[in-house]
């Protein structure tokens, strides 16, 4: 990889920038690729060094080797380094260990007199029947133990313990992520810093990493629910943690304007989100190579999510209509491989539709292909479209959430097809085949021009402006004191209306207010529009809810909160003051007061003994 790829044309904030991801496996997908690509682009553009922090023990044995391999593959340049918590802890000297341990104030309870036996492995782990780690001990090369983790339960205290070079415990934390935080504090220090997190599961605890000098940026790489436009639709588990705690992040980055619009319409996000698309490093072609009009190609792992069977069927139907076309599919074999092979055999298309398998040079096939197909159930922002367009390969894509419509202008630089409409895709292939060379050339040129809007220089410049603003807006984290008390409520069939009084510091001119509901013993939640106003020295919030808003819940309990932004800080208050509320029927559930006077809903099948929170 060349030392310099981009000209320096954008100022980034005077802060260290770190990437964060759970781990980097041997074979990885789009999210990891984007993390590496972004880090490298920022490092090259701004002439700075960037570290990507990883937490997986699998990356802790040979982090230098991983860094070197990624450089040899062209994934990163010399300004980007992979760093791992376990590698650092394993090799830390006494001084560094003491500094990391200094971030713990918890008493040490582990018994150091009974260490596990060292058998030469870097890790000794016990996994339960559910696949979760029950305990793990990690060792240095000399056999001394540097970390002990216990999941807890059955009389065993939950803990993560750090040991000195002689195997003596010097610090203990209750949660494993608290050890991660101590390591991050040691790595980052007190200078201004930005962490860009590309690991969705990490959001469930990363939002707690509140430091006055560190800005947290969370990314979303895919759609957030099966039907992202409906309030009643369940959120996907992948991004639930990020959206649950979105106000605790300094910024949320999504890939497309359409996703930001959907998230905003459903009140999942308010004032800390921006659109930062993926970039493509594909070099725009200067001279469009001649190619057969009927030559089609697709780059996709053979998963059911990609619905490659739709693409194969569409090509076959175009062939049956008399169109001379071929279709080559490149990608790692996955769970749909066997069924796709059977489909090709059943329709007798072995000579014209081929599964080519993985090819590291597959992207070059776009240069000699006329069109490509995208038939996925959903995407975040499909880079494969930009890679094809950059060299004049015309995309024909299902108009799915998200990405295709944000990239393709139908009939100008590609084609959009209604989701799952195989016949429409087959017709599009046929229409493309019937076009003249001049018309096709026009579309190819428009596709190349559109791909340039996602060049590393342009997208990295957008990141620079956003991160500069994030750091300018960064406030020292603090808790906002306040209370939310129910003033009035009204239930009419499937609808209820609430009026809530906010007191304390939280009542001091909030920027916005929302009604939040959460599943008590689960992860589901939602936020509903609310109106706030200052009245006679009080701040009153009014909101309404319909039973459809809770359609993802059919049992158990729902609790209510008010979410606010006060003086730039997030604030969440449980709605109290419901002691006088008589249980009120609300469709198949009832509105009631817990024994602590909190406002909740319980469903008829719920256990009354659990209704006291």
């Amino acid at each position: 990889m060349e030392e310099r790829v981009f000209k320096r044309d954008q100022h980034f904030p005077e802060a260290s920038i770190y990437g964060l991801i759970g781990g980097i496996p041997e074979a990885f997908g789009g999210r990891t690729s984007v993390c590496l690509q972004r880090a490298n682009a920022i490092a090259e553009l701004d002439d700075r060094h960037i570290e990507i922090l990883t937490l997986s023990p699998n990356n802790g044995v040979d982090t230098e080797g991983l860094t070197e391999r990624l450089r040899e593959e062209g994934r990163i340049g010399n300004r980007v380094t992979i760093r791992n918590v376990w590698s650092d802890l394993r090799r830390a000297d006494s001084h560094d260990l003491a500094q990391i341990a200094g971030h713990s104030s918890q008493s040490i309870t582990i018994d150091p007199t009974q260490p596990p036996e060292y058998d030469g492995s870097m890790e000794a782990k016990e996994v339960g029947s559910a696949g979760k780690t029950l305990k793990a001990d990690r060792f240095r090369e000399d056999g001394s133990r540097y970390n002990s983790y216990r999941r807890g339960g059955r009389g065993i205290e939950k803990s993560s313990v750090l040991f000195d070079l002689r195997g003596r415990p010097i610090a203990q934390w209750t949660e494993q992520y608290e050890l991660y935080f101590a390591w991050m504090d040691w790595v980052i220090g007190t200078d201004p810093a930005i962490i860009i997190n590309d690991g969705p599961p990490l959001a469930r605890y990363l939002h707690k990493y509140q430091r006055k000098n560190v800005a947290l940026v969370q990314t979303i790489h895919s759609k957030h629910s099966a039907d992202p436009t409906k309030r009643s639709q369940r959120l996907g588990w992948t991004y639930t943690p990020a959206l649950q705690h979105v106000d605790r992040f300094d910024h949320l980055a999504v890939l497309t304007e359409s996703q930001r619009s959907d998230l905003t319409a459903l009140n999942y996000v308010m004032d800390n989100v921006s659109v930062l698309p993926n970039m493509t490093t594909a070099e725009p072609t200067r001279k469009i190579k001649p190619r057969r009009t009927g030559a089609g190609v697709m780059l996709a792992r053979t998963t059911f999510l990609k619905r490659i069977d739709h693409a194969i069927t569409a090509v076959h139907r175009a062939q049956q209509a008399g169109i001379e076309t071929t279709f080559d599919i490149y990608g790692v074999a996955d769970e749909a491989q066997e069924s796709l092979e059977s489909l090709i055999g059943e329709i007798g298309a072995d000579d014209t539709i081929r599964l080519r398998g993985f090819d590291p040079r597959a992207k070059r096939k776009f240069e000699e292909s006329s069109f490509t197909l995208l038939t996925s159930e959903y995407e975040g922002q499909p880079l494969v479209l930009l890679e094809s367009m950059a060299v004049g390969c015309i995309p024909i894509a299902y108009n799915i959430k998200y990405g295709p419509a944000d990239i393709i202008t139908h009939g100008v630089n590609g084609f959009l097809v209604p989701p799952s409409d195989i016949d429409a895709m087959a017709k599009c292939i046929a229409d493309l085949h019937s076009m003249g060379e001049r018309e096709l050339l026009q579309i190819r040129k428009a596709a190349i021009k559109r791909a340039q809007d996602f060049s590393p220089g342009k997208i990295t410049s957008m990141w620079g402006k956003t991160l500069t603003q994030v750091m300018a807006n960064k406030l020292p984290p603090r808790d906002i004191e306040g209370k939310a008390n129910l003033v009035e409520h009204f239930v009419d069939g499937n609808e209820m209306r609430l009026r809530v009084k906010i007191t304390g510091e939280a009542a001091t001119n909030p920027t916005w207010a929302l009604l939040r509901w959460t599943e008590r013993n689960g992860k589901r939640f939602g936020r509903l529009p609310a109106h706030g106003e200052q009245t006679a020295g009080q701040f009153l919030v009014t909101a309404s809810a319909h039973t459809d808003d809770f359609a993802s819940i059919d049992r158990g309990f729902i609790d209510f909160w008010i979410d606010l932004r006060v003086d730039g800080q997030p604030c969440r208050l449980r709605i109290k003051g419901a002691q006088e509320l008589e249980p009120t029927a609300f469709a198949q559930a009832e509105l009631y007061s817990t024994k602590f006077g909190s406002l909740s809903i319980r469903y008829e099948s719920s256990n009354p003994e659990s209704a006291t929170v």
Side-chain angles (χ1 to χ4, degrees), residues 210-213 250 473-479 567-569:
Q210 297 293 321
R211 303 293 188 268
K212 64 180 180 180
N213 64 309
D250 295 280
N473 294 339
K474 176 67 181 176
L475 296 172
R478 65 184 183 88
D479 293 329
D567 194 23
Q569 305 285 355

Side-chain angles (χ1 to χ4, degrees), residues 100 103-104 106 158-160 172-185 205 208-209 211:
I100 297 170
H103 293 281
S104 170
Q106 185 176 323
K158 188 174 187 179
S159 65
S160 182
Q172 180 169 317
W173 296 268
T174 301
E175 301 287 348
Q176 188 78 292
Y177 69 76
E178 294 172 330
L179 170 59
Y180 299 157
F181 290 177
W183 169 67
M184 290 159 62
D185 285 341
Y205 54 76
K208 299 178 183 179
Y209 188 69
R211 303 293 188 268

Side-chain angles (χ1 to χ4, degrees), residues 14 50 59 145 198-199 225 314 379 482 490:
E14 294 298 325
I50 289 184
N59 295 151
R145 179 170 52 162
D198 288 297
S225 73
E379 293 280 354
F490 179 77

Side-chain angles (χ1 to χ4, degrees), residues 221-223 226 298-312 314 327 329 372-385 396-405 416-422 425:
H221 291 265
S222 187
K223 79 171 184 177
M298 185 177 194
L299 270 60
R301 182 187 292 265
T302 56
T303 67
F304 290 116
L305 168 66
K306 299 296 182 181
R307 294 194 293 196
I308 299 173
D309 58 318
H310 286 215
I312 293 171
F327 193 55
I329 302 155
T372 187
L373 304 181
L374 187 139
T375 49
S376 305
E377 291 181 21
Y378 60 86
E379 293 280 354
Q381 180 213 359
L383 277 174
V384 69
L385 292 184
I396 304 172
Y398 278 166
N399 190 9
I400 55 172
K401 298 282 186 177
Y402 287 97
L416 296 171
V417 175
S420 303
D421 194 336
I422 297 175
M425 181 162 279

Side-chain angles (χ1 to χ4, degrees), residues 316-338:
H316 180 59
R317 289 181 185 176
Q319 291 172 337
Q320 288 180 311
I323 305 302
E324 294 183 6
T325 183
T326 59
F327 193 55
D328 292 316
I329 302 155
Y330 291 87
V332 175
D334 215 317
E335 82 271 8
Q337 179 79 15
E338 188 175 338

Side-chain angles (χ1 to χ4, degrees), residues 77-111:
N78 293 331
R79 293 181 177 88
V80 179
T81 303
I82 310 301
R83 193 162 187 173
N84 181 265
V85 57
W86 304 113
S87 177
D88 279 2
L89 293 178
R90 179 166 53 87
R91 295 180 297 186
D93 60 25
S94 297
H95 175 73
D96 292 337
L97 287 170
Q99 283 193 318
I100 297 170
H103 293 281
S104 170
S105 58
Q106 185 176 323
S107 299
I108 297 173
T109 60
I110 192 170
D111 181 3

